[in-house]
Amino acid sequence: MAKLIAPSLLSADFARIADQIADVQNAGADWLHLDVMDGRFVPNITWGPKIIGDLRKLSPLVFDAHLMIEEPERYVEDFREAGCDRITFHLEATTHAQRLLTRIRELGAKAGVAICPQTPILMLEDIIDECDLVLVMSVNPGFGGQKFIPRTFEKVRQARALIDGRNPLCLIEVDGGVGERNARELTDAGVDVLVMGSTIFGASDPGAELRRIRSLL
Ligand code: DX5
Ligand code: ZN
């Protein structure tokens, strides 16, 4: 399938968020990636359903929520109501991942599971049938602008093999330290969706940067 680019609003300037969203949307962004952080699962805090509901009025793009929160099962309904099309939670943050994946699908959203760098792909074997997306973290979650962990390439290849054999419609997303130096290598390894925060919003012209990365894929 065509490779997708999901700019992460974590690195956007919220004082002019409407312009920033319009910019990447006009440049052909496929999804908007929304990082929800609670200050517990990760050492940083961002936004909740209220802000996402307000952003929803600014763009028809797919809202790709990445929940970095403890007990995500308590909040998936609120994020769905706020307008998230895809909801991805961390395997490490909940005891009942299989149940939560099913619940997110019942709510009419696409269900994703994210894994931190220390969690092996093996942990996905018994839930892969219920996943619409697997998010392989290529940094420790919490902050933008961190260094890409090279072991991610091998994990992507393992995820690709698991998904091709068991649930070929499931997408693979990579998040953290993605940019021109590794984007093509990641898609060659089997990634479907590239999340990019600082690469895009740290550029002087985010739209032009998005187009430039797209041309490399
Ligand atoms: C980090 C977030 C990422 C973040 C990536 O925990 O999940 O989505 O925005 O930022 P970059 O692309 O700057 O590494
Ligand atoms: Zn993210």
Side-chain angles (χ1 to χ4, degrees), residues 6-12 33-37 42 44 47 66 68 90 135 137-148 174-179 195-202:
S8 166
L9 295 190
L10 186 65
S11 291
H33 184 82
L34 292 152
D35 292 297
V36 179
M37 305 187 188
V42 289
N44 194 4
W47 47 75
H66 175 194
M68 285 160 275
H90 268 268
L135 198 184
M137 286 304 299
S138 37
V139 297
N140 286 287
F143 300 94
Q146 300 183 81
K147 195 167 167 289
F148 179 86
V174 166
D175 183 6
V178 177
V195 176
M196 280 177 265
S198 50
T199 290
I200 289 180
F201 289 108

